[in-house]
Amino acid sequence: MNQIVGRGMPMEDSANAKPGAVDVRTVRPRTTPYNAPELFASRMAGHDKRASGDPFGRQNFGVNLPRLHRSGESALLHRHSQQDEFTDVLGRRPTLVIEQDEIELAPGMYAGHRAGGAPFLIVNRTTADVVCLEVGDRSEGDQGSYPSNDLAATLGPDGR
């Protein structure tokens, strides 16, 4: 598939990416299921995520544009061992959950999560979709821990 500047491409075609500009609305939402047992994976059905950096073939960091539907969650409560994350709120008022604390966010606010810090997630408790921008690095050897769910994840050498 050839990239047309101004158009997105599915993640599968990102190996052919070239520099340029992409309309994020044309980037297809991620189709791979949440890699967790069904009991937990079904909780992630309340959002779609567009891997917005993939059309450029970037390898060192991830850029996602998640849309959280009503009651949708960004992820299970989690933290990373090596990866720092940054979430910028673009639309509506999601709730940032950090361990047992909650902070209502608004457009123009952002949340930062350092590697090894407190576990967190973002949830939509509004009646409309919430849109955010997520940025994280792809640190080799990163591990995710999910303390409320007794789960762990290890990223491969490609950061996935």
Side-chain angles (χ1 to χ4, degrees):
M1 172 180 208
N2 293 325
Q3 179 181 9
I4 301 170
V5 174
R7 301 281 182 200
M9 60 182 17
M11 278 182 33
E12 304 85 64
D13 295 329
S14 63
N16 299 322
K18 296 178 183 170
V22 171
D23 181 338
V24 72
R25 295 168 297 184
T26 67
V27 177
R28 292 185 204 136
R30 184 174 290 161
T31 57
T32 54
Y34 196 76
N35 189 14
E38 179 50 39
L39 171 66
F40 306 112
S42 60
R43 290 177 47 189
M44 300 305 103
H47 81 281
D48 61 60
K49 189 176 284 195
R50 297 171 192 271
S52 306
D54 283 354
F56 303 103
R58 55 90 193 107
Q59 298 173 356
N60 298 319
F61 63 95
V63 180
N64 295 307
L65 188 70
R67 178 177 300 273
L68 302 176
H69 308 298
R70 187 166 68 187
S71 301
E73 300 178 18
S74 61
L76 298 173
L77 190 73
H78 72 289
R79 70 174 143 239
H80 292 271
S81 64
Q82 304 292 321
Q83 181 184 143
D84 293 329
E85 282 188 69
F86 171 88
T87 304
D88 186 359
V89 178
L90 303 179
R92 306 289 183 215
R93 295 181 162 278
T95 301
L96 172 64
V97 178
I98 304 174
E99 294 181 305
Q100 282 73 38
D101 292 331
E102 295 188 1
I103 302 168
E104 184 178 297
L105 302 174
M109 294 179 76
Y110 57 88
H113 319 286
R114 68 176 174 76
F120 69 95
L121 68 89
I122 295 177
V123 63
N124 180 5
R125 296 196 175 122
T126 72
T127 58
D129 288 358
V130 166
V131 179
C132 298
L133 180 71
E134 297 173 338
V135 178
D137 64 69
R138 291 189 166 179
S139 299
E140 188 172 340
D142 185 33
Q143 296 180 335
S145 62
Y146 304 82
S148 297
N149 303 109
D150 195 28
L151 294 173
T154 301
L155 290 139
D158 64 353
R160 296 179 189 262

